[in-house]
Amino acid sequence: MAGSQLSSELPPLDALLKRLREEKPLVQCITNFVSMDIMANTLLAIGASPAMVHCAEEAADFQKIASALLVNVGTLSPQWVAGMEAAIGAANKLKKPWVLDPVAAGATPFRTETIVKLAKMRPCVIRGNASEIMALAGAAGATRGVDSTAESEEALALGKQLSLDLGAVVAISGKDDYVINGNSMLKVSNGHPMLQRITASGCAVTALIAAFASLAPNDLHMATAYALGIFGVAAEIAVKKGGEAGPASLRTHLIDTLYTFTEAEMESYNVSICITEPEQ
Amino acid sequence: MAGSQLSSELPPLDALLKRLREEKPLVQCITNFVSMDIMANTLLAIGASPAMVHCAEEAADFQKIASALLVNVGTLSPQWVAGMEAAIGAANKLKKPWVLDPVAAGATPFRTETIVKLAKMRPCVIRGNASEIMALAGAAGATRGVDSTAESEEALALGKQLSLDLGAVVAISGKDDYVINGNSMLKVSNGHPMLQRITASGCAVTALIAAFASLAPNDLHMATAYALGIFGVAAEIAVKKGGEAGPASLRTHLIDTLYTFTEAEMESYNVSICITEPEQ
Amino acid sequence: MAGSQLSSELPPLDALLKRLREEKPLVQCITNFVSMDIMANTLLAIGASPAMVHCAEEAADFQKIASALLVNVGTLSPQWVAGMEAAIGAANKLKKPWVLDPVAAGATPFRTETIVKLAKMRPCVIRGNASEIMALAGAAGATRGVDSTAESEEALALGKQLSLDLGAVVAISGKDDYVINGNSMLKVSNGHPMLQRITASGCAVTALIAAFASLAPNDLHMATAYALGIFGVAAEIAVKKGGEAGPASLRTHLIDTLYTFTEAEMESYNVSICITEPEQ
């Protein structure tokens, strides 16, 4: 990284968390079958409202009453892609934020082509792990001048290019989460390795990003970092509450903690959101 | 409400709960993707047997070995509607009770039209929240002579009209649950507000209604109230067992409590099933 | 049973469990909607990697990067069968092991015909309960010379015939699990009756079989017995940890236990894998 500095410009968390609980944004989720239970429960626990509405016959209409759209390609099929495209078209027309989760980008040609097609439909945020972001960036034609041996650094450079090319915030999840908005980057250093043992926990956090994006359409960069920070801090608290017993206990405590989450807990855990500059 | 009185005609609970555990009714569930895990586990915990069988190629055939049918339109698509119609046709032909959960009625034209079409196929019970029942009743052409500003009262009047028009028991879930059978109404005052933070808990209770309906086809009104009462009381017990920690803990204790549920627990919690008359 | 003897030929458990955690086999799961959450979490907890990829447009391509394939017919539809056939074709071509879970075989003609068709596509392991195995064996034309009044014994004889006819390991789950490989049979006597109250716990164990099968393609018989043994022993430990409270608590402790599972725990619980000979 070229540089790193703590930002003094962060709006207070409760401006977003309190508003989420008051406004209860309705997030239309077109998501994979594995994730539906934990995603809906994540949104409900924190105070948002989920709606899994996917088919082409109603996906666009539903955007009229929704606050945001989450598109996750996990258990892909052509019928569902038709619904995704219809919903995305409506979201763009109605100026509702929509967020893309490019699950397993690169795994098959059908999947990669579909993700590239969706990524070009102007998502406001894309969140994936390093390999997903790299696969998407590569397939979408992003190139970078300086090769890197470290995968995470390569992902950052490709993520930056993807962000610039698509005009979207790009979040790369991992041990640390990086949230890239063109030349600006936020780093969120929360969470717990055991989260990777809970299926669809990444999918759930992308839905949380969609919920916060609907509250801060003019500051998607910060809203994305907040969603990642809250989920990560909640996971840390959940581990201490008894989640260290294993991934199923962690999941229970995580959902419970999102329900009771307070700004005080956020502060006490010292979320390290800092402004850094990705290498050129 | 015009009046309210405690009924002295209630059959003892264990007649139904004991029979459910002995007969293990097989409930065919055509339901949304979000609800499948909690619905199946709810039925298994109390002692019934779930089967998620939805496609048009086998949905009707499966009714031959099922005790009841649950149709929930949550994650709707035309392919699934074909399966629903096939299964409903078989249920009606074989005189098996079938129960409708009109999730998000009113949200989109496709959804509302589908729900109205299904509602006219003679469900024996319909369960929804106030806005779903009102949307269905309105779309199905129900009208009422006296306007009401209170949504719950308006829902009761429309629910009564819907019950009379369709010849079905109509259950309206909320802080209190109302179970309307034409001019007769039961009120169930159990449950806990945190249930709304558990995705598909309402869907699960509708499946429980289907299970009890199969045991008491000649007293669907009471069977519906029992299902709502057992679920609500179990939730109250679950909160005391540790469910107050949050919605994921509540869910765990709720399923556990349904497994161990006894009539003694039901009595100790004083379910307020009372006969009332909806306003004319 | 004609005879029973303890085998002295069993390879040590950790050879497989340790390798699973090191190699993290990627199991492509084409499975029913009810099972997806618990199946993915079971695989993640023990240390394998799940991927739910089902549609015909990518199911075959995904086998190229997968270690094994699990096909479960629970929530069947023609579209999904097309994906299953594509994936199975690829698995066979690429010599990846694939495992079949014939959920509710015999329930409808469409289901039984589909299962028979898939069973003839050379699965390396088939796991079901006694009635599923009997329905499959009967529909697939297996016959037996000696009638038996005991269902379990009849299932064993039909299972043996099925194993011989298809050249597959056949596992029959129940109070005891029997794993049949032609004329050889293993018996696994672990588990807990409350597992039947957790939806899709049987589906999850079949996915675990697929994971172990990928590690021991030349000893599928033993790998299948190990998967059943680990899951059963973990359930016994989970009951003691607090799972006796009910099926939802048991599920939580079961997943947690798979995460922390050690060979020492396996030995302390004395898994009774023994070689027996099914009756002729």
Side-chain angles (χ1 to χ4, degrees):
Chain A
M1 292 297 91
S4 169
Q5 58 173 113
L6 279 173
S7 169
S8 57
E9 308 284 346
L10 302 185
L13 172 67
D14 67 348
L16 282 181
L17 184 56
K18 194 179 168 203
R19 280 181 53 214
L20 182 136
R21 286 172 173 159
E22 287 168 358
E23 300 181 22
K24 298 177 178 35
L26 177 60
V27 182
Q28 181 179 356
C29 304
I30 306 185
T31 189
N32 70 74
F33 303 119
V34 193
S35 70
M36 289 200 183
D37 183 293
I38 193 172
M39 183 181 289
N41 280 315
T42 294
L43 290 173
L44 284 171
I46 193 128
S49 184
M52 276 60 182
V53 174
H54 71 280
C55 81
E57 284 76 7
E58 65 168 353
D61 282 332
F62 198 85
Q63 267 298 294
K64 295 176 190 168
I65 59 170
S67 306
L69 173 66
L70 174 280
V71 174
N72 173 305
V73 299
T75 49
L76 206 52
S77 70
Q79 294 79 9
W80 281 61
V81 175
M84 292 172 184
E85 291 179 314
I88 291 169
N92 284 338
K93 188 177 170 189
L94 297 164
K95 302 193 187 308
K96 308 279 176 82
W98 79 273
V99 178
L100 176 64
D101 196 325
V103 178
T108 71
F110 173 66
R111 179 169 295 263
T112 307
E113 287 159 20
T114 300
I115 293 171
V116 169
K117 184 172 61 172
L118 298 177
K120 292 184 174 173
M121 294 179 78
R122 289 183 285 131
C124 68
V125 184
I126 301 173
R127 188 215 63 87
N129 61 33
S131 69
E132 289 163 348
I133 296 299
M134 291 169 70
L136 168 55
T143 56
R144 54 187 299 275
V146 180
D147 270 347
S148 168
T149 50
E151 183 183 290
S152 65
E153 288 192 3
E154 189 171 347
L156 291 183
L158 282 169
K160 177 185 170 182
Q161 193 60 50
L162 193 65
S163 175
L164 290 168
D165 290 351
L166 301 179
V169 172
V170 172
I172 304 175
S173 293
K175 184 174 178 302
D176 295 309
D177 300 326
Y178 295 94
V179 187
I180 304 169
N181 189 19
N183 287 309
S184 174
M185 186 167 78
L186 297 165
K187 180 180 175 183
V188 184
S189 301
N190 290 104
H192 190 277
M194 210 198 287
L195 280 175
Q196 294 179 30
R197 299 296 188 96
I198 305 175
T199 197
S201 56
C203 305
V205 83
T206 314
L208 206 57
I209 291 171
F212 279 105
S214 74
L215 299 171
N218 296 320
D219 197 357
L220 295 168
H221 197 187
M222 195 60 67
T224 301
Y226 270 144
L228 290 163
I230 288 175
F231 199 80
V233 170
E236 292 171 17
I237 297 172
V239 168
K240 294 182 184 175
K241 277 183 175 175
E244 77 280 352
S249 290
L250 178 56
R251 173 177 170 165
T252 298
H253 289 294
L254 173 58
I255 299 292
D256 284 356
T257 301
L258 290 171
Y259 177 69
T260 56
F261 202 78
T262 62
E263 191 187 7
E265 287 181 308
M266 195 74 171
E267 287 175 347
S268 74
Y269 275 82
N270 191 21
V271 185
S272 54
I273 297 178
C274 58
I275 309 286
T276 61
E277 193 69 20
E279 57 174 305
Q280 298 304 309
Chain B
M1 292 297 91
S4 170
Q5 57 173 112
L6 279 172
S7 169
S8 56
E9 308 285 346
L10 301 184
L13 172 67
D14 68 348
L16 283 181
L17 184 56
K18 194 179 168 202
R19 280 182 53 214
L20 183 138
R21 286 172 173 159
E22 287 169 357
E23 301 181 21
K24 298 178 180 32
L26 176 59
V27 182
Q28 181 179 357
C29 303
I30 306 184
T31 188
N32 68 76
F33 303 119
V34 193
S35 70
M36 288 198 184
D37 183 292
I38 193 174
M39 184 182 289
N41 280 315
T42 294
L43 290 173
L44 284 171
I46 193 125
S49 184
M52 276 61 183
V53 173
H54 71 280
C55 82
E57 284 77 6
E58 66 169 353
D61 282 333
F62 198 86
Q63 267 298 297
K64 294 175 189 167
I65 59 170
S67 307
L69 172 67
L70 175 278
V71 174
N72 174 304
V73 298
T75 50
L76 206 52
S77 70
Q79 292 79 8
W80 281 61
V81 175
M84 292 171 184
E85 290 178 315
I88 292 169
N92 285 338
K93 188 176 169 190
L94 297 163
K95 301 193 187 311
K96 309 277 177 82
W98 79 273
V99 177
L100 176 64
D101 195 325
V103 178
T108 70
F110 173 66
R111 180 168 293 264
T112 307
E113 287 159 20
T114 300
I115 292 171
V116 168
K117 184 172 62 174
L118 297 177
K120 292 184 175 174
M121 293 179 78
R122 288 183 285 132
C124 68
V125 183
I126 301 173
R127 188 216 63 88
N129 60 33
S131 69
E132 290 163 348
I133 295 299
M134 290 169 71
L136 168 55
T143 56
R144 55 188 296 277
V146 182
D147 270 347
S148 167
T149 49
E151 183 183 289
S152 64
E153 288 192 3
E154 189 170 347
L156 292 183
L158 282 168
K160 176 185 170 183
Q161 192 61 49
L162 194 64
S163 174
L164 290 168
D165 289 351
L166 301 179
V169 171
V170 172
I172 304 174
S173 292
K175 185 173 178 304
D176 295 310
D177 299 326
Y178 296 94
V179 188
I180 304 169
N181 189 20
N183 286 310
S184 174
M185 187 166 79
L186 297 164
K187 181 180 176 183
V188 183
S189 300
N190 289 103
H192 190 276
M194 211 197 289
L195 279 175
Q196 295 180 29
R197 298 297 189 97
I198 306 174
T199 197
S201 57
C203 305
V205 84
T206 314
L208 206 57
I209 290 171
F212 280 106
S214 75
L215 299 172
N218 296 320
D219 196 357
L220 296 168
H221 197 188
M222 194 61 65
T224 302
Y226 269 143
L228 290 162
I230 288 175
F231 199 79
V233 169
E236 291 171 17
I237 297 172
V239 168
K240 294 182 184 175
K241 278 182 176 175
E244 75 281 353
S249 290
L250 178 57
R251 174 177 169 165
T252 298
H253 289 294
L254 173 58
I255 299 292
D256 284 356
T257 301
L258 290 170
Y259 177 69
T260 56
F261 203 79
T262 62
E263 191 187 9
E265 288 182 308
M266 195 72 170
E267 286 176 348
S268 73
Y269 275 82
N270 191 21
V271 185
S272 55
I273 296 178
C274 57
I275 309 287
T276 60
E277 192 70 20
E279 57 174 304
Q280 299 305 310
Chain C
M1 293 298 93
S4 170
Q5 59 174 110
L6 277 172
S7 169
S8 57
E9 309 284 346
L10 302 184
L13 172 66
D14 68 347
L16 283 181
L17 184 56
K18 194 179 168 203
R19 280 182 54 214
L20 182 138
R21 286 173 174 158
E22 286 168 359
E23 301 181 22
K24 298 178 180 31
L26 176 59
V27 182
Q28 180 180 356
C29 304
I30 306 185
T31 188
N32 68 75
F33 304 119
V34 193
S35 70
M36 290 199 183
D37 184 292
I38 193 173
M39 184 182 288
N41 280 315
T42 293
L43 290 173
L44 284 171
I46 194 128
S49 184
M52 276 60 182
V53 174
H54 70 281
C55 81
E57 284 77 7
E58 66 169 354
D61 282 332
F62 197 86
Q63 267 298 296
K64 295 174 190 166
I65 59 171
S67 306
L69 173 66
L70 174 279
V71 174
N72 172 305
V73 298
T75 50
L76 205 52
S77 69
Q79 294 79 9
W80 281 61
V81 175
M84 292 172 184
E85 291 178 314
I88 291 169
N92 284 339
K93 189 177 169 190
L94 297 163
K95 302 194 188 306
K96 309 279 177 81
W98 79 271
V99 178
L100 176 64
D101 195 325
V103 178
T108 70
F110 173 66
R111 180 168 293 264
T112 306
E113 287 159 20
T114 299
I115 292 171
V116 169
K117 184 171 61 172
L118 298 176
K120 292 183 175 173
M121 294 179 78
R122 289 181 285 132
C124 69
V125 184
I126 301 172
R127 188 215 63 87
N129 60 33
S131 68
E132 290 163 346
I133 295 300
M134 290 169 71
L136 169 54
T143 55
R144 55 188 297 276
V146 182
D147 270 347
S148 167
T149 49
E151 182 182 290
S152 63
E153 289 193 3
E154 189 170 347
L156 292 183
L158 282 169
K160 177 185 170 182
Q161 193 60 49
L162 193 64
S163 175
L164 290 168
D165 289 350
L166 301 179
V169 171
V170 172
I172 304 175
S173 293
K175 185 174 178 304
D176 296 310
D177 299 326
Y178 295 94
V179 187
I180 304 169
N181 188 21
N183 286 310
S184 173
M185 185 166 79
L186 297 164
K187 180 180 175 183
V188 184
S189 301
N190 289 104
H192 191 275
M194 211 197 289
L195 279 175
Q196 294 180 29
R197 298 296 189 97
I198 305 174
T199 198
S201 57
C203 305
V205 84
T206 314
L208 206 56
I209 291 171
F212 280 106
S214 74
L215 300 171
N218 296 320
D219 196 358
L220 296 167
H221 197 188
M222 194 60 67
T224 301
Y226 270 144
L228 291 162
I230 288 175
F231 199 80
V233 169
E236 292 170 18
I237 297 172
V239 168
K240 293 182 184 175
K241 277 182 175 175
E244 76 279 354
S249 289
L250 177 57
R251 174 177 168 165
T252 298
H253 290 295
L254 172 60
I255 298 292
D256 284 356
T257 301
L258 290 170
Y259 177 71
T260 56
F261 202 79
T262 63
E263 190 186 9
E265 287 182 310
M266 196 72 170
E267 286 176 346
S268 74
Y269 275 82
N270 191 21
V271 185
S272 54
I273 296 179
C274 57
I275 309 285
T276 60
E277 192 69 21
E279 57 173 306
Q280 299 305 310

